[in-house]
């Protein structure tokens, strides 16, 4: 076990478990409206130790909070058939697959096999399309929310908890005035997160290994959805000094965000399984969130409650 985080005179360290507690209260209210325990089925077909840890966390959190969880370990070559079978099982409310499995486009194919009504990860084409187009509901009456991917949504819930979102502004514009750097542009987390933040009004610099892109909704939030602009020649040296929020998820133990480039008082969030921020970050940041895993799992339960089979008012 790692040592507990400690505050410095300039920095408040906020742990994921603290944020998760408030979200669990919302989940508990939703469960009161259901006469049975929702069943989430997890598929583990990977030897990745992080995937197994996430699966174990999922099961523990489910059972502690009134959900049923079934972990099915399936050889990866049999996973496609297993997903097709469970799609038609009326006792199953949600499906989660622990990626990566093949580590290529075949994983994207598997994501599309999961029936949209049981997709609690928001990875099906319909949900991804809605996310990038800034379409927030599945129906014209705005009764059924479109599901968002768990890790990007967890970051958003953390920013809401930290009051980075300005609740005085209209819903959908509440990050207006913020400049955010997201270090990671994976299709699973980094790029969706940049799009969601920009759709909520932020100017976002999406940093990948070889380039920087800017996600925004135009001057004065004129556009309904974000657009992407290439930033030739830009690096972290351009992005970090102007960003009041920095979110990093580089999956490498050697990578560290250069603290000397951070803006004084920035909010820093790490979503990698590795620590992307050195301890010195607390000398520069106003708020530091070292991990988000516990929030991600609670968001998964929340998605299960608001997915089409179990609709909350």
């Amino acid at each position: 076990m790692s040592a507990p985080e400690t505050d410095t005179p300039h920095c408040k360290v906020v742990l994921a478990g603290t944020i998760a507690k408030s979200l669990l209260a919302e989940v508990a209210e939703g469960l009161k409206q259901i006469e049975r325990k929702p069943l989430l089925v997890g598929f583990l077909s990977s030897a990745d130790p992080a995937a197994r840890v996430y699966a174990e966390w999922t099961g523990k959190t489910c059972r502690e909070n009134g959900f049923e969880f079934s972990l099915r370990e399936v050889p990866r070559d049999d996973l496609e058939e297993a997903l097709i079978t469970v799609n038609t099982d009326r006792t199953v409310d949600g499906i989660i697959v622990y990626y990566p499995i093949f580590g290529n486009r075949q994983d994207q194919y598997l994501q599309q096999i999961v029936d949209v009504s049981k997709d609690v990860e928001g990875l099906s084409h319909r949900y991804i399309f809605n996310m990038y187009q800034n379409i927030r509901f599945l129906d014209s009456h705005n009764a059924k929310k479109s599901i968002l991917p768990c890790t990007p949504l967890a970051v958003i819930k953390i920013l809401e908890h930290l009051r980075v979102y300005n609740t005085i502004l209209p819903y959908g514009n509440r990050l207006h005035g913020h400049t955010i750097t997201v270090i990671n542009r994976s299709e699973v987390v980094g790029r969706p997160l940049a799009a969601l933040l920009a759709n909520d009004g932020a100017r976002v610099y999406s940093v990948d290994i070889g380039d920087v892109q800017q996600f925004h909704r135009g001057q004065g939030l004129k556009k309904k959805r974000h657009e992407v602009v290439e930033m030739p020649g830009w690096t972290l040296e351009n992005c970090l000094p102007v960003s009041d929020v920095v979110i990093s998820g580089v999956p490498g133990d050697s990578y560290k965000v250069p603290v000397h480039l951070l803006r004084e008082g920035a909010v820093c969030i790490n979503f990698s399984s590795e620590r992307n921020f050195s301890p010195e970050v607390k000398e520069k940041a106003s708020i530091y969130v070292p991990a988000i895993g516990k929030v991600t799992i609670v968001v998964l339960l929340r998605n299960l409650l608001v997915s089409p089979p179990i609709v909350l008012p």
Side-chain angles (χ1 to χ4, degrees):
M1 296 291 291
S2 59
E5 300 289 342
T6 57
D7 295 350
T8 69
H10 306 291
C11 181
K12 176 70 175 178
V13 177
V14 180
L15 301 181
T18 302
I19 302 169
K21 287 179 182 178
S22 61
L23 291 173
L24 281 172
E26 177 186 340
V27 169
E29 284 299 313
L31 273 177
K32 290 178 182 179
Q33 304 177 36
I34 302 170
E35 295 180 354
R36 60 183 177 80
K37 293 183 177 182
L39 172 60
L40 177 65
V41 172
F43 285 96
L44 184 62
S45 301
S46 168
D48 183 357
R52 181 170 293 278
V53 169
Y54 186 28
E56 291 172 352
W57 280 2
T58 308
K60 184 174 184 292
T61 306
C62 280
R63 297 183 185 104
E64 287 177 348
N65 293 282
F67 294 78
E68 296 287 352
F69 179 75
S70 173
L71 180 63
R72 303 180 186 181
E73 298 193 38
V74 178
R76 67 180 190 173
D77 292 330
D78 298 333
L79 180 57
E80 178 179 356
E81 183 177 349
L83 290 173
I84 292 171
T85 299
V86 81
N87 277 340
T88 60
D89 187 341
R90 299 186 65 180
T91 68
V92 175
D93 299 290
I95 299 170
I96 178 172
V97 181
Y98 297 99
Y99 296 100
I101 297 167
F102 293 93
N104 54 31
R105 288 180 62 86
Q106 194 165 348
D107 284 7
Q108 297 176 27
Y109 167 69
L110 291 171
Q111 291 167 5
Q112 304 312 312
I113 290 178
V114 177
D115 189 275
V116 69
S117 68
K118 298 184 180 183
D119 175 16
V120 295
E121 296 184 274
L123 298 178
S124 66
H125 172 74
R126 184 177 183 187
Y127 290 143
I128 295 295
F129 176 84
N130 283 3
M131 177 185 65
Y132 283 119
Q133 294 295 320
N134 202 12
I135 300 171
R136 302 185 181 226
F137 293 90
L138 295 173
D139 62 322
S140 58
H141 302 292
N142 292 352
K144 299 179 181 179
K145 287 187 176 181
S146 191
I147 299 297
L148 296 174
C150 295
T151 302
L153 182 55
V155 174
I156 287 171
K157 290 299 177 183
I158 288 168
L159 291 174
E160 290 178 346
H161 177 87
L162 299 177
R163 300 188 180 180
V164 174
Y165 274 73
N166 185 349
T167 55
I168 296 175
L169 294 175
Y171 181 71
N173 292 340
R174 291 178 173 178
L175 286 179
H176 182 48
H178 287 284
T179 300
I180 301 175
T181 289
V182 178
I183 308 171
N184 173 302
R185 202 185 303 138
S186 69
E187 293 300 319
V188 177
V189 184
R191 193 162 79 95
L193 176 58
L196 289 169
L197 297 172
N199 284 342
D200 280 338
R203 182 174 300 273
V204 183
Y205 293 111
S206 173
V207 180
D208 207 5
I209 293 175
D211 66 342
V212 174
Q213 295 177 343
Q214 184 189 98
F215 288 56
H216 65 89
R217 280 175 44 205
Q219 191 70 27
L221 305 181
K222 292 180 179 179
K223 301 179 184 298
K224 291 184 178 180
R225 60 175 294 272
H226 74 280
E227 61 180 25
V228 181
V229 178
E230 299 288 343
M231 305 295 291
W234 273 52
T235 67
L236 282 174
E237 290 189 0
N238 305 100
C239 305
L240 295 183
V242 299
S243 297
D244 53 289
V245 179
V246 177
I247 305 164
S248 187
V250 178
D253 58 2
S254 62
Y255 178 78
K256 293 290 183 287
V257 176
V259 172
H260 71 281
L261 294 177
L262 290 174
R263 178 176 173 177
E264 191 76 34
V267 173
C268 296
I269 299 172
N270 175 71
F271 69 82
S272 172
S273 57
E274 307 288 346
R275 291 292 174 92
N276 283 182
F277 294 91
S278 63
E280 289 74 25
V281 68
K282 290 179 279 188
E283 299 173 7
K284 206 77 176 284
S286 61
I287 300 174
Y288 172 46
V289 182
I292 72 166
K294 291 183 179 180
V295 178
T296 302
I297 294 175
V298 177
V299 164
L300 178 72
L301 301 184
R302 184 180 178 275
N303 278 357
L304 179 58
L305 285 175
V306 300
S307 60
I310 307 172
V311 179
L312 297 181

